[in-house]
């Protein structure tokens, strides 16, 4: 049974407004093109600006998925066949064989896992039943015998009561058989005989539990009446005595044969944590249950060879270091971005759209036009917000003519004046200055470089620098904690004043490197970035060059 895959559209870790709205708009575009299982997701908390924008236009926030490390639910077979615990063993074995299953979960009431059936468990059970050194006893009932043998009931009593049965086949001459049957407990005895009326009358007189007449032979009316009086169930089997005896042994409820030593796994278990148990299992497969213990699927060794049930589209980033944790384990279908190329490698060809514009929202809005898909007003509004946020109301050095044309187009569709709307969303962003320092540093943190040259730069926007400068010591302490945790060359916070169009850089790290920073120093470890608005285009290239020439 083919699995229907889900497509998740992720922005980068510590997402900004452009990242979130691009994911939402991209997912809606894919759904409009027929990919119904495409949804936006986020792997980090939204900032105040993004929350304001989504709430203003009534757009639901993407689902939060903190990591994508492969779990059982991503690989398991959800179309797993189960069998009820009271099904005859023979019927369950037919399902196991015809379906070419390695294992069948056996379920009780409400679909809760009871045990599992596999051929090893069946073989152990049969060895106990046919052990020549002791009389085989097995659980069954009249109704189970009817189902297994396809028998015709003639008289039945307590047909659903399960009892511990012993089989007696009338192979002796009459006197010897009468002596043999006399030594067996009648309440637990099943007798199989062909059209030997003397034996039939004898066992009915003995009041055995069940008489199975084999070969499809009829029974005389007088014997039927006597059986009814003595409480003997009579079944007519269409099979010969040998086959009927074999099938009767397989009439037990399958739950009595199930293996209870094979413990299930849960949907949310990590594949890495259950792999060893899976490979050690006899059938190389494990039942999967939900929180209530109900079977929801089966995980087999072959399932791990298949691709996961989820595929990814990445927007506003193209490096695994910025992607949701675990992204490397999934097939990446597309990347839509406006940043420099990183070191992303994929196992299959993908659609890669990277354009030198100021915002990924600009690219997404263009895709709607290219694909001739109309935008809902709400989508046009949040895309406009994404452009204005990422380009600082079209004033950043990263702003292109394409960004300006797209912003004008979206402004016309939404009746949102660019400058006024831009001030609204920037005012929402400026509230970030009142948040806890660790939260400020995590909101829009980007990782750059690698090894000894690795560093991070967070960026926030404010309408007045005074409030953030008053928290200088607190910010530097937070940066020092962050730098100590990562062991990076340095850790920085870029605070952009969207009113004055300048930025301030707070930085902690290697003293030798910090001494080489040539921006004007405002205070210890604090620098003025006059006219610098873009982290990507203006600040990071300068810092990277300092590292390279160090």
């Amino acid at each position: 049974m083919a699995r229907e895959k889900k497509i998740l559209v992720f922005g980068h870790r510590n997402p900004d407004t452009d990242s979130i709205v691009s994911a939402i708009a991209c997912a809606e575009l894919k759904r409009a093109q027929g990919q119904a299982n495409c949804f936006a997701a986020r792997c980090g908390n939204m900032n105040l600006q993004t929350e304001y924008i989504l709430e203003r236009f009534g757009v639901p926030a993407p689902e939060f998925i903190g990591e994508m490390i492969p779990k059982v639910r991503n690989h398991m077979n959800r179309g797993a066949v189960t069998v009820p615990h009271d099904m005859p063993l023979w019927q369950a074995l037919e399902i196991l064989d015809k379906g070419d299953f390695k294992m069948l979960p056996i379920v009780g009431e409400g679909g809760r896992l009871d045990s599992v059936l596999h051929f090893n468990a069946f073989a152990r059970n049969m060895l106990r039943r046919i052990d020549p050194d002791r009389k085989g006893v097995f659980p069954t009932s009249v109704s189970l015998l009817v189902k297994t043998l396809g028998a015709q009931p003639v008289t039945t009593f307590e047909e659903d009561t399960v009892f511990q049965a012993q089989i007696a086949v009338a192979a002796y001459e009459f006197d010897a058989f009468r002596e043999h049957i006399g030594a067996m407990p009648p309440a637990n005895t099943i007798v199989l005989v062909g059209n030997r009326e003397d034996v039939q009358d004898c066992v009915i007189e003995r009041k055995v539990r069940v008489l199975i007449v084999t070969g499809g032979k009829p029974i005389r009316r007088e014997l039927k009446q006597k059986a009814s009086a003595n409480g003997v169930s009579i079944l007519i089997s269409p099979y010969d005595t040998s086959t009927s005896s074999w099938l009767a042994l397989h009439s037990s409820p399958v739950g009595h044969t199930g293996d209870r030593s094979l413990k299930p796994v849960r949907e949310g278990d990590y594949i890495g944590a259950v792999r060893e148990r899976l490979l050690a299992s006899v059938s190389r497969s494990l039942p999967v249950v939900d929180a209530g213990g109900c079977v929801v699927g089966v995980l087999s060794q072959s399932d791990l060879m298949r691709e996961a049930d989820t595929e990814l589209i990445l927007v506003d980033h193209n490096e695994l270091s910025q992607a949701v944790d675990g992204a490397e384990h999934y097939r990446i279908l597309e990347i839509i971005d406006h940043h420099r190329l990183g070191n992303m490698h994929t196992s299959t060809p993908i659609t890669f759209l990277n354009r030198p514009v100021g915002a990924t929202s600009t690219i997404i809005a263009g895709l709607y036009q290219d694909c001739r898909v109309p935008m809902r007003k709400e989508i046009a509004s949040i895309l406009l917000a994404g452009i204005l946020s990422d380009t600082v109301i079209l004033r950043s050095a990263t702003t292109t003519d394409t960004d300006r044309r797209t912003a004008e187009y979206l402004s016309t569709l939404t009746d949102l004046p660019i400058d006024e709307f831009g001030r609204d969303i920037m005012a929402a962003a400026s509230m970030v200055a009142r948040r806890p320092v660790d939260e400020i540093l995590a909101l829009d943190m980007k990782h750059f470089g690698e090894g000894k040259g690795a560093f991070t730069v967070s960026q926030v926007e404010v309408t007045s620098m005074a409030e953030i400068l008053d928290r200088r010591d607190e910010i530097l302490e937070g940066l020092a904690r962050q730098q100590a945790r990562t062991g990076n060359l340095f850790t920085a916070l870029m605070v952009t004043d969207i009113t004055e169009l300048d930025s301030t850089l707070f930085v902690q790290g290697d003293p030798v490197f910090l001494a080489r920073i040539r921006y004007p120093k405002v205070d210890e470890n604090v620098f003025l970035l006059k006219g610098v608005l873009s982290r990507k285009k203006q600040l990071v290239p300068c810092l990277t060059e300092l590292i390279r020439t160090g």
Side-chain angles (χ1 to χ4, degrees):
M1 178 177 171
R3 297 178 299 173
E4 191 171 14
K5 292 193 174 186
K6 177 191 288 189
I7 301 172
L8 295 178
V9 185
F10 272 101
H12 52 73
R13 302 179 192 180
N14 308 313
D16 57 8
T17 295
D18 186 37
S19 181
I20 292 288
V21 302
S22 293
I24 294 171
C26 179
E28 180 153 321
L29 174 61
K30 295 299 180 183
R31 290 196 297 273
Q33 294 175 311
Q35 298 184 47
N37 280 343
C38 186
F39 305 97
R42 59 187 174 91
C43 54
N45 295 325
M46 298 187 301
N47 60 39
L48 290 172
Q49 181 189 74
T50 309
E51 290 176 355
Y52 163 75
I53 291 163
L54 297 186
E55 184 177 346
R56 173 168 172 173
F57 298 106
V59 177
E63 178 187 4
F64 175 78
I65 303 176
E67 46 85 10
M68 288 291 292
I69 298 171
K71 299 179 180 64
V72 169
R73 68 166 62 95
N74 301 125
H75 289 271
M76 72 183 198
N77 176 13
R78 292 186 179 275
V81 174
T82 62
V83 293
H85 67 101
D86 55 359
M87 174 183 280
L89 173 59
W90 183 256
Q91 289 185 6
L93 287 171
E94 287 185 313
I95 294 171
L96 186 67
D97 181 54
K98 291 177 180 177
D100 196 26
F101 301 121
K102 296 180 176 64
M103 174 268 288
L104 279 178
I106 301 170
V107 298
E109 292 185 7
R112 290 177 59 86
L113 180 68
D114 176 87
S115 54
V116 298
L117 176 66
H118 50 75
F119 284 114
N120 278 42
F122 163 68
R124 286 196 301 269
N125 181 70
M126 290 311 299
L127 281 172
R128 289 194 295 267
R129 294 186 187 181
I130 62 177
D131 186 348
D133 294 328
R134 59 190 180 94
K135 190 67 176 177
V137 176
F138 63 97
T140 189
S141 69
V142 172
S143 61
L144 289 168
L145 287 165
V146 169
K147 292 175 183 176
T148 305
L149 294 163
Q152 173 61 54
V154 178
T155 60
T156 58
F157 298 91
E158 298 179 355
E159 55 263 42
D160 293 323
T161 301
V162 175
F163 62 97
Q164 295 299 316
Q166 290 182 324
I167 288 181
V169 178
Y172 299 119
E173 58 90 27
F174 179 75
D175 289 337
F177 179 74
R178 182 170 55 187
E179 181 181 349
H180 175 71
I181 201 70
M184 297 180 67
N188 298 83
T189 300
I190 300 172
V191 175
L192 288 91
V193 64
N195 57 350
R196 296 175 60 183
E197 291 187 0
D198 56 344
V199 173
Q200 294 171 3
D201 183 62
C202 172
V203 298
I204 292 172
E205 184 69 31
R206 174 68 178 156
K207 297 182 180 180
V208 299
R209 186 73 172 246
V210 183
L211 168 62
I212 300 176
V213 180
T214 61
K217 302 301 182 183
I219 190 166
R220 283 195 302 115
R221 186 184 300 274
E222 293 80 7
L223 291 175
K224 174 185 176 183
Q225 292 171 346
K226 188 174 183 178
S228 296
N230 287 353
V232 177
S233 297
I234 299 178
L235 310 178
I236 298 176
S237 169
Y239 301 104
D240 59 37
T241 302
S242 175
T243 303
S244 297
S245 175
W246 179 252
L247 288 173
L249 282 171
H250 292 76
S251 65
S252 294
V254 65
H256 286 266
T257 306
D259 180 359
R260 288 179 170 79
S261 68
L262 194 64
K263 301 304 180 185
V265 296
R266 296 185 181 274
E267 289 183 275
D269 289 345
Y270 292 109
I271 290 293
V274 304
R275 188 185 299 273
E276 190 172 322
R277 282 174 54 197
L278 176 64
L279 299 180
S281 65
V282 172
S283 58
R284 297 292 191 273
S285 55
L286 296 170
V288 184
V289 299
D290 61 16
C294 295
V295 176
V296 293
V298 167
L299 179 71
S300 66
Q301 184 178 6
S302 60
D303 290 331
L304 301 187
M305 307 301 291
R306 298 188 298 175
E307 288 185 343
D309 67 346
T310 304
E311 297 172 326
L312 305 182
I313 296 175
L314 307 183
V315 298
D316 204 34
H317 66 298
N318 68 82
E319 297 183 65
L320 280 176
S321 62
Q322 297 182 16
V324 59
D325 194 17
E328 66 274 14
H329 298 289
Y330 297 82
R331 184 179 180 189
I332 297 173
L333 300 178
E334 298 182 38
I335 295 176
I336 304 172
D337 191 23
H338 70 122
H339 296 98
R340 66 181 180 87
L341 295 183
N343 57 352
M344 176 76 78
H345 300 280
T346 61
S347 58
T348 58
I350 69 169
T351 298
F352 191 105
L353 186 56
N354 187 281
R355 291 179 178 166
V357 292
T360 301
S361 294
T362 299
I363 304 173
I364 301 294
L367 289 175
Y368 273 85
Q369 293 175 288
D370 294 343
C371 299
R372 296 178 174 83
V373 174
M375 269 183 277
R376 292 190 296 120
K377 187 174 182 179
E378 293 83 357
I379 294 298
S381 299
I382 64 174
L383 285 175
L384 177 58
I387 295 172
L388 298 182
S389 172
D390 236 32
T391 63
V392 195
I393 320 180
L394 304 178
R395 296 171 184 170
S396 170
T398 59
T399 308
T400 66
D401 288 341
T402 303
D403 296 303
R404 296 185 183 92
R405 286 194 301 269
T406 304
E408 288 291 346
Y409 170 69
L410 295 174
S411 175
T412 301
L413 292 181
T414 59
D415 296 320
L416 292 169
I418 287 176
D419 287 335
E420 180 182 340
F421 183 46
R423 286 192 296 271
D424 286 347
I425 62 177
M426 291 304 175
S430 68
M431 294 170 62
V432 71
R434 302 165 200 166
R435 286 189 156 184
V437 165
D438 287 342
E439 194 172 323
I440 293 174
L441 298 180
L443 279 175
D444 186 15
M445 178 184 291
K446 295 283 180 68
H447 297 258
F448 303 94
E450 55 187 29
K452 295 182 179 179
F455 64 97
T456 65
V457 179
S458 304
Q459 183 176 18
V460 296
E461 289 146 355
V462 297
T463 52
S464 171
M465 197 66 72
E467 190 171 1
I468 205 81
L469 286 174
D470 288 342
R471 302 181 65 184
R472 168 196 172 279
D473 292 344
E474 190 181 353
I475 290 171
L476 290 175
E477 287 173 6
L479 287 170
R481 288 193 299 271
Q482 177 71 22
Q483 200 268 340
R485 281 196 300 268
T486 62
N488 288 341
L489 180 64
F490 66 90
T491 298
L493 170 66
M494 177 180 175
V495 183
T496 299
D497 187 332
I498 58 176
T499 303
E500 299 297 327
L501 303 183
D502 294 325
S503 296
T504 299
L505 183 69
F506 297 81
V507 59
Q508 285 279 27
D510 179 72
V512 175
F513 175 81
L514 299 189
R516 298 179 59 236
I517 296 177
R518 292 294 175 256
Y519 290 111
K521 182 178 286 191
V522 176
D523 205 337
E524 193 66 29
N525 293 32
V526 182
F527 301 88
L528 174 63
L529 311 182
K530 193 70 176 174
V532 175
L533 303 179
S534 171
R535 169 178 52 186
K536 173 181 69 175
K537 197 167 184 178
Q538 294 174 291
L539 175 62
V540 171
C542 293
L543 297 176
T544 303
E545 181 64 15
L546 276 179
I547 295 172
R548 190 185 68 81
T549 58

